[in-house]
Amino acid sequence: MTATVSATAAPGVGPAAAVRPAARLSTAKPGGRRHLLSIADLDREGIEEILRLTDMFVEVSERPIPRVPALRGKTVVSLFFEDSTRTRLSFEMAAKRLSADTMSFSVSTSAVKKGESLRDTVETIEAMGIDAIVVRHSAAGVPWQIANWTEGAAVINGGDGWHEHPTQALLDCYTIRQQRGRLDGQRIAIVGDIRHSRVARSDVLAFTALGASVTLVAPPTLLPPTLAGWPVEVSHRLDEVLPSCDVVYLLRLQRERMQEALLPSLREYTATYGLTRQRARLLVPGALIMHPGPVNRGVEIAAEVADQPNSVITRQVRNGVAVRMAVLYLLLGSGVDLGV
Amino acid sequence: MSDGPFNQAVLIRGGTVVDATGKRVGDVLIRNGVVEAVGLDLDDAIAGAQVLDASGCIVGPGLVDLHSHLREPGREESETVETGARAAALGGYTAVVAMPNTDPPIDCAAVARQVFELGARATCEVAVAGAITVGRAGKLLAPLAEMADLGIRLFTDDGNGVQDARLMRRALEYASALGVTLAQHCEDSSLAAGGHMHEGEWSSRLGIPGQPGEAEELMVMRDLALSRLTRAPIHFLHLSTATSLQMVRVAKQGGARVTAEVAPHHFSLTDAAVASYDTVFKVNPPLRPPADVAAVKAALADGTADAIATDHAPHAQEDKEAPFDQAPPGMLGLETALALAVTELDLPIERLLALLSWQPAAIAGLAGRHGGPIVAGAAANLCVIDPEVTWVVDATRLASRSRNCPYAGRTLTGRVRHTVLRGEPVVIDGEAQR
Ligand SMILES: [Zn+2]
């Protein structure tokens, strides 16, 4: 059994998350595999450990030659069943800066189309002798399944369906901490399509674990069927929430939501839940504007607002590489000198 | 049986006989496929009988499953009539109703005849349910009379609910002249669309698209109305929510011609199991929250539910090893149903046997041969149950061709020791004899 795959533990929020397995990522753990599957597997200390390490890798990234030999000889595979060039490149750059070898396996163009099963694909890749698999899949839970089928490789959840995207939440925490000093006591509004958002689920877990208070702002059709047990407030009026928040986090709206009768039109969405130029004036000075990207300019956020000085969207992207370096280092590092 | 009736005399010795008429200590002597005598000290009555020890055990009528997916024809890599019947016999069943969602589906006499023929050699009686509509497509009535002529007494599009209310009304009307019962898989497909587990707290956390309990309840409500309109009987398959069962309870109080079954997994597992993302827990109707599980148990206790039916649904490992939203729904049930009932339900053995044997036998139209009182002259379809023994479920040692058993590693109480089909011991001391 591995440390962080918890087949019986609740990868959730709220009461179930209170019984989180004590399965922090730790470099000290001898033998056994470690994974990063869910923010729920990390307690506050585990998240803070990653953020502290990220500070070091941010410093590495600013060097003229932003590279350390920490993972020399290790191989990191990105196994993406769903297109996400941004996340894939971010992980690959993180691996390269740690001197790991990288392989990229984009399955939409490969085996699964020929009827090869998910498990066959995974076992074939593992047989090549790799150290970590970054998995992205449109179905919730696939990283758990893969962790159960593999023996040697660490599994990193690069986003599973509507469920979780733990490295995104970690980089979001890092960015907020970097800009505002801490998460404790911060009032964070997450706005938009919470129901279908892996980012929102991971962010709620991470932000609240670090002491922030979270308000979800969305029409009922874009909220999960129930929020029982979620440590959040809910609002359907963005105008009422904006003046009292320290961070407003906008989620990407998929355009096909209209076909599912979840929204009447993009126009109505923007009018009620979009961060328009006018609405952005309700924010207190210094309040951060965040977005996981890619941005639908003019839908969830006005173009000018995305470019305002208090928008940290590009900083999130930059921090993403350093956070992923920290995660890879914690999972794969042998404890040798970082060379920093 | 393969070569004529089983002729050797069999003596089931030392057990307590339980049937719908009550409970008594006694041995059971069987010859030529029928019960010859029930009583004490039958040893002298016959020399050379094969003796089955039943000390400390319950001798009951064979169990009857209203809901088995035997997968033949079409999906023989996951189960066949032969392997499914063997699993059934090990589970104490002497009769199962084979569901028609095969490939091709059992929607005409030719396919039904094929399954009956396969069943003739099997280790339990294989009754067949026919489809209500051609191809189970919900558009045109299947030839119900032609199938009824073969002895089919239950019809269902199971796997699909009949969505069109007008078609369902016509089917009920048409069937009422044939003395058969329509059985509904209750699911409003538009409300359930895209849902892979119960919609609720767990689906919200896990990010798995859910289907609300109301998708089941809407069709229960509609079909109770259609049964009232047509005065035709209706049987509800695998009901799983408190509201569904409450509607049935009220309808029965009003004299409705309705029967209902529930599945073992709906009284022994909750939707929290899906948190593992193990597709063995994907089933339709989905696992529900604790309040619904409690309601299923209450419905079994107060008679609202008439039967425990397994919904035994084998799937090949390679099909189940898929992302949760692509894996087929269904789990094994035949070899664990009785033990789950003994373990999970706080009911006396005679109530459990009512739910597992004579009540489902009546619904399936099998009461002449299965589930009847154990008296001289009765068909010798029996099972012998040790109600005290505990055992650990080992999914690798099941007779089913598939391995999608959600109870692996679980310790259960109560196990089938012997099963007798038409006088032949097909299971002795927990081992299949053929
Ligand atoms: Zn069904």
Side-chain angles (χ1 to χ4, degrees):
Chain A
M1 211 40 219
T2 55
T4 56
V5 180
S6 42
T8 51
V13 292
V19 286
R20 282 175 182 164
R24 307 169 29 214
L25 288 172
S26 164
T27 51
K29 191 174 170 299
R33 280 182 308 156
R34 291 158 291 162
H35 306 297
L36 178 60
L37 301 179
S38 166
I39 292 291
D41 294 338
L42 302 169
D43 55 13
R44 181 179 186 132
E45 183 53 35
I47 296 172
E48 284 175 348
E49 184 181 3
I50 294 169
L51 301 188
R52 277 195 299 274
L53 203 53
T54 302
D55 281 330
M56 260 190 297
F57 289 115
V58 164
E59 188 270 312
V60 169
S61 301
E62 284 160 2
R63 294 180 192 175
I65 301 171
R67 186 181 274 258
V68 288
L71 297 186
R72 183 170 291 155
K74 303 280 187 187
T75 303
V76 176
V77 174
S78 51
L79 179 57
F80 276 46
F81 295 84
E82 181 184 79
D83 282 340
S84 175
T85 311
R86 303 166 145 251
T87 304
R88 187 172 55 77
L89 288 179
S90 180
F91 269 108
E92 286 175 7
M93 178 163 287
K96 287 196 168 105
R97 287 185 173 176
L98 293 166
S99 306
D101 296 320
T102 59
M103 290 194 325
S104 176
F105 204 91
S106 169
V107 187
S108 51
T109 58
S110 177
V112 169
K113 279 202 174 153
K114 291 181 250 154
E116 187 177 311
S117 79
L118 176 60
R119 183 168 186 167
D120 287 340
T121 304
V122 169
E123 287 180 350
T124 303
I125 291 172
E126 200 192 17
M128 296 171 188
I130 51 132
D131 300 286
I133 305 177
V134 181
V135 185
R136 170 76 150 232
H137 201 288
S138 59
V142 167
W144 276 255
Q145 293 175 297
I146 289 178
N148 280 323
W149 295 332
T150 55
E151 277 160 19
V155 178
I156 298 170
N157 184 353
D160 64 320
W162 307 346
H163 180 222
E164 280 223 44
H165 193 356
T167 57
Q168 176 73 44
L170 292 167
L171 75 88
D172 290 337
C173 288
Y174 187 82
T175 305
I176 294 169
R177 200 191 66 158
Q178 184 183 50
Q179 300 298 312
R180 299 193 61 91
R182 61 200 165 81
L183 269 289
D184 256 317
Q186 299 291 316
R187 296 161 301 175
I188 303 174
I190 302 177
V191 184
D193 188 359
I194 318 283
R195 175 189 284 257
H196 304 97
S197 176
R198 49 181 158 243
V199 174
R201 283 182 179 76
S202 284
D203 272 348
V204 166
L205 289 167
F207 293 165
T208 55
L210 295 183
S213 62
V214 174
T215 302
L216 303 179
V217 188
T221 48
L222 296 182
L223 287 170
T226 169
L227 290 167
W230 291 44
V232 297
E233 302 277 309
V234 177
S235 169
H236 308 301
R237 297 190 177 278
L238 184 55
D239 289 347
E240 290 174 7
V241 173
L242 286 176
S244 58
C245 65
D246 303 304
V247 178
V248 56
Y249 197 109
L250 303 153
L251 297 169
R252 179 177 166 79
L253 186 77
Q254 303 278 346
R255 287 163 191 274
E256 65 267 19
R257 301 299 172 217
M258 269 68 66
Q259 268 75 58
E260 300 162 41
L262 295 166
L263 290 172
S265 68
L266 281 183
R267 219 171 76 116
E268 181 155 313
Y269 178 80
T270 304
T272 46
Y273 293 95
L275 193 62
T276 57
R277 207 154 45 147
Q278 195 160 23
R279 221 174 246 134
R281 293 198 203 106
L282 296 170
L283 287 167
V284 296
L288 301 182
I289 296 168
M290 300 177 71
H291 191 294
V295 175
N296 278 323
R297 284 171 184 257
V299 180
E300 64 265 8
I301 184 168
E304 312 87 304
V305 177
D307 297 332
Q308 272 177 212
N310 57 334
S311 160
V312 291
I313 298 170
T314 51
R315 191 163 290 272
Q316 286 173 272
V317 176
R318 201 175 319 143
N319 289 338
V321 176
V323 160
R324 290 174 176 122
M325 289 172 79
V327 168
L328 287 168
Y329 178 75
L330 278 170
L331 292 173
L332 302 183
S334 52
V336 296
D337 194 339
L338 255 181
V340 293
Chain B
M1 257 164 297
S2 37
D3 342 86
F6 184 86
N7 292 319
Q8 199 194 348
V10 174
L11 181 65
I12 302 175
R13 189 162 61 189
T16 301
V17 176
V18 176
D19 59 26
T21 67
K23 201 172 190 178
R24 61 226 170 259
V25 173
D27 302 341
V28 179
L29 177 64
I30 298 160
R31 202 184 339 226
N32 294 326
V34 295
V35 174
E36 190 169 285
V38 181
L40 294 169
D41 303 317
L42 295 177
D43 293 36
D44 298 337
I46 186 155
Q50 182 177 5
V51 175
L52 301 181
D53 176 46
S55 46
C57 293
I58 302 296
V59 181
L63 311 186
V64 175
D65 188 27
L66 287 168
H67 200 141
S68 285
H69 295 276
L70 300 183
R71 302 297 187 219
E72 197 174 359
R75 297 307 297 266
E76 290 84 355
E77 75 282 4
S78 55
E79 196 77 288
T80 63
V81 170
E82 182 189 346
T83 58
R86 192 173 294 123
L90 286 162
Y93 290 91
T94 54
V96 301
V97 178
M99 288 287 115
N101 63 336
T102 48
D103 184 15
I106 307 173
D107 65 352
C108 62
V111 184
R113 220 175 267 123
Q114 183 192 349
V115 178
F116 276 126
E117 276 165 26
L118 291 164
R121 297 186 295 274
T123 51
C124 71
E125 177 166 347
V126 178
V128 170
I132 296 171
T133 69
V134 175
R136 300 171 48 252
K139 298 282 184 238
L140 301 167
L141 277 187
L144 305 186
E146 173 187 296
M147 289 188 276
D149 280 348
L150 297 177
I152 293 180
R153 287 292 169 267
L154 275 180
F155 290 88
T156 178
D157 278 2
D158 183 51
N160 300 331
V162 177
Q163 299 299 317
D164 187 301
R166 182 165 158 274
L167 175 64
M168 190 62 192
R169 176 203 179 160
R170 297 300 180 221
L172 285 164
E173 284 174 344
Y174 189 80
S176 65
L178 304 172
V180 302
T181 300
L182 300 195
Q184 187 72 285
H185 166 121
C186 292
E187 178 181 333
D188 181 296
S189 64
S190 68
L191 192 57
H196 300 287
M197 68 176 294
H198 174 74
E199 180 180 298
E201 281 189 43
W202 279 105
S203 73
S204 295
R205 288 173 188 174
L206 296 171
I208 294 176
Q211 51 168 282
E214 283 75 3
E216 173 179 304
E217 293 154 6
L218 279 179
M219 195 167 279
V220 172
M221 192 187 304
R222 185 201 73 179
D223 281 8
L224 286 171
L226 293 177
S227 170
R228 190 167 63 232
L229 176 66
T230 59
R231 289 181 291 278
I234 181 108
H235 175 70
F236 290 129
L237 303 168
H238 46 51
L239 291 187
S240 63
T241 80
T243 302
S244 292
L245 291 159
Q246 179 59 18
M247 286 190 281
V248 169
R249 186 175 287 122
V250 171
K252 281 185 165 188
Q253 284 161 2
R257 300 182 69 190
V258 55
T259 53
E261 64 178 48
V262 297
H265 43 271
H266 288 131
F267 62 71
S268 41
L269 296 166
T270 69
D271 58 343
V274 179
S276 64
Y277 291 106
D278 188 336
T279 57
V280 79
F281 298 111
K282 182 172 177 180
V283 65
N284 200 20
L287 300 178
R288 305 287 188 188
D292 288 320
V293 171
V296 169
K297 289 183 178 179
L300 286 164
D302 76 1
T304 299
D306 302 275
I308 295 167
T310 65
D311 196 4
H312 179 81
H315 287 292
Q317 186 160 326
E318 58 269 29
D319 292 332
K320 274 290 193 183
E321 283 177 347
F324 204 89
D325 63 3
Q326 290 167 31
M331 42 180 66
L332 301 184
L334 284 166
E335 294 175 71
T336 47
L338 173 88
L340 286 161
V342 172
T343 307
E344 294 291 333
L345 302 175
D346 197 17
L347 295 174
I349 189 75
E350 52 272 28
R351 281 288 301 136
L352 294 180
L353 286 173
L355 292 162
L356 285 158
S357 177
W358 50 87
Q359 289 178 182
I363 293 167
L366 293 167
R369 296 189 295 281
H370 299 269
I374 302 172
V375 294
N381 295 313
L382 305 170
C383 73
V384 178
I385 299 160
D386 184 339
E388 308 284 343
V389 70
T390 61
W391 58 291
V392 178
V393 180
D394 180 351
T396 64
R397 294 198 58 229
L398 297 173
S400 171
R401 189 163 277 190
S402 291
R403 290 289 167 261
N404 53 312
C405 167
Y407 313 106
R410 196 150 155 171
T411 300
L412 301 178
T413 302
R415 195 162 197 182
V416 173
R417 197 161 163 205
H418 317 299
T419 304
V420 176
L421 176 71
R422 300 181 202 106
E424 177 194 0
V426 289
V427 172
I428 299 176
D429 281 321
E431 299 290 335
Q433 300 300 298
R434 59 181 175 91

